[in-house]
Amino acid sequence: FVNAYKHWFPAVSHLSSVTVIGEGVSGLTIAFALAVHDVRVHLIAENECQDTTSATAAGVWFPYLSDDPRTSVWARETLDMY
């Protein structure tokens, strides 16, 4: 699972630390992906994880508004990962 994140963020190796705002599913996913690359991550959030919309939301995402041909590739990679 961790190796799947390695190709998503190839350009972060020069970063030593990053601040991620939000502890919902998006914020935690980005934080995890950065941490996999040995980037020190600081999380800032108004609410604890369990108190976010992401904790109870269905998390439905579909790239129906994108004309970018890369979107279907990203959607497939995301579906395969999760």
Side-chain angles (χ1 to χ4, degrees), residues 22-42:
E23 287 186 10
V25 68
S26 297
L28 291 178
T29 300
I30 293 298
F32 178 80
L34 290 167
V36 165
H37 285 278
D38 298 321
V39 175
R40 183 180 170 103
V41 177
H42 304 275

Side-chain angles (χ1 to χ4, degrees), residues 9 11-18 34 37-40:
F9 293 90
V12 299
S13 60
H14 68 284
L15 300 173
S16 60
S17 68
V18 170
L34 290 167
H37 285 278
D38 298 321
V39 175
R40 183 180 170 103

Side-chain angles (χ1 to χ4, degrees), residues 3-66:
N3 287 332
Y5 282 98
K6 292 287 186 180
H7 76 279
W8 280 25
F9 293 90
V12 299
S13 60
H14 68 284
L15 300 173
S16 60
S17 68
V18 170
T19 299
V20 175
I21 299 173
E23 287 186 10
V25 68
S26 297
L28 291 178
T29 300
I30 293 298
F32 178 80
L34 290 167
V36 165
H37 285 278
D38 298 321
V39 175
R40 183 180 170 103
V41 177
H42 304 275
L43 287 168
I44 296 176
E46 182 177 1
N47 299 306
E48 300 269 334
C49 267
Q50 65 272 14
D51 296 328
T52 65
T53 301
S54 295
T56 57
V60 177
W61 174 83
F62 188 77
Y64 63 92
L65 293 177
S66 176

